[in-house]
Amino acid sequence: MLLRRLIPALALLTAVLTPVTTASTASAADNPYERGPAPTNSSIEASRGSFATSQTTVSSLVTGFGGGTIYYPTSTSAGTFGAIAISPGYTGTQSSISWLGPRIASQGFVVFTIDTNSIYDQPDSRASQLLAALDYLTQSSTVRTRVDATRLGVMGHSMGGGGTLRAAESRPALQAAIPLTGWHTDKTWGSVRVPTLVVGADGDTIAPVSSHSEPFYTSLPSTLDKAYLELRGASHFTPNSSNTTIAKYSISWLKRFIDNDTRYEQFLCPKPSGTAIAEYRDTCPHSI
């Protein structure tokens, strides 16, 4: 008698729970752009991710920018990858931002660190060169078949950071933008539609956050997925050498918005804190 009463109850419980489990599993499997294992603090703070990488040099004779180096996952078994072009700052060369190449590529991206036509190029010129580099990467490069041309982003240091903002404004189809201690005379970016992580430094005397990174962030639309990360005890040139905080949140941002990978939201929202972070503001990523 007791068994007969329990069977309907168990059947009902199974019917209620099964769709939830199935939907959850389907949700995780539905993202075709997910690359790599589930992230942890250790995995995104590590100097290298789960993908072995290779690199290839691009000649300075190409049209539109000054050449550079492409870093990419060696294996193609995971499919195509999102890609990022990165510009150095005023008087800088790609060597000043080269550490970002293998570090980000090893997390499952194709990364193009570029040289500019002239080390004195201004931000808007660097913007055009970042976009030219992405076009070269997706259309002409030897690794073009590894790149998903619909999932692209831009990064840059100093005037390259200002160029990053201009490139995002010029090409709203981009999926992510990260200006690093950016410099630009234009302080208003209300027309940007690309998810943007603005990185500033509390000790920056060349592009002080009060007149650059903070107004950049504030001027971005309030409806935009955006964040402002201010590094503690850092200078304008902190992005020119390996930095775990920059890498951790840049990787999380690129994964979330180029790969649509919501597994990385945990590192962005609720807003992070710690001894390396002077300030963090955000709108919290909107779940897909």
Side-chain angles (χ1 to χ4, degrees), residues 192-224:
V192 171
R193 297 294 179 267
V194 178
T196 302
L197 169 63
V198 178
V199 179
D202 63 355
D204 193 337
T205 57
I206 295 174
V209 293
S210 60
S211 56
H212 289 79
S213 291
E214 288 183 333
F216 294 164
Y217 173 80
T218 303
S219 71
L220 292 167
S222 60
T223 54
L224 184 69

Side-chain angles (χ1 to χ4, degrees), residues 75-147:
S75 173
T76 58
S77 61
T80 55
F81 298 92
I84 305 100
I86 309 178
S87 167
Y90 187 70
T91 74
T93 64
Q94 64 165 315
S95 64
S96 66
I97 38 92
S98 62
W99 70 274
L100 287 162
R103 190 150 184 174
I104 296 176
S106 67
Q107 296 286 346
F109 292 100
V110 175
V111 182
F112 196 179
T113 58
I114 69 168
D115 278 314
T116 47
N117 291 321
S118 163
I119 59 174
Y120 306 111
D121 288 335
Q122 295 298 297
D124 288 356
S125 173
R126 291 168 192 267
S128 298
Q129 293 178 62
L130 280 168
L131 297 178
L134 288 178
D135 292 341
Y136 172 85
L137 185 63
T138 58
Q139 298 170 19
S140 306
S141 76
T142 58
V143 301
R144 60 188 179 277
T145 58
R146 298 172 185 263
V147 179

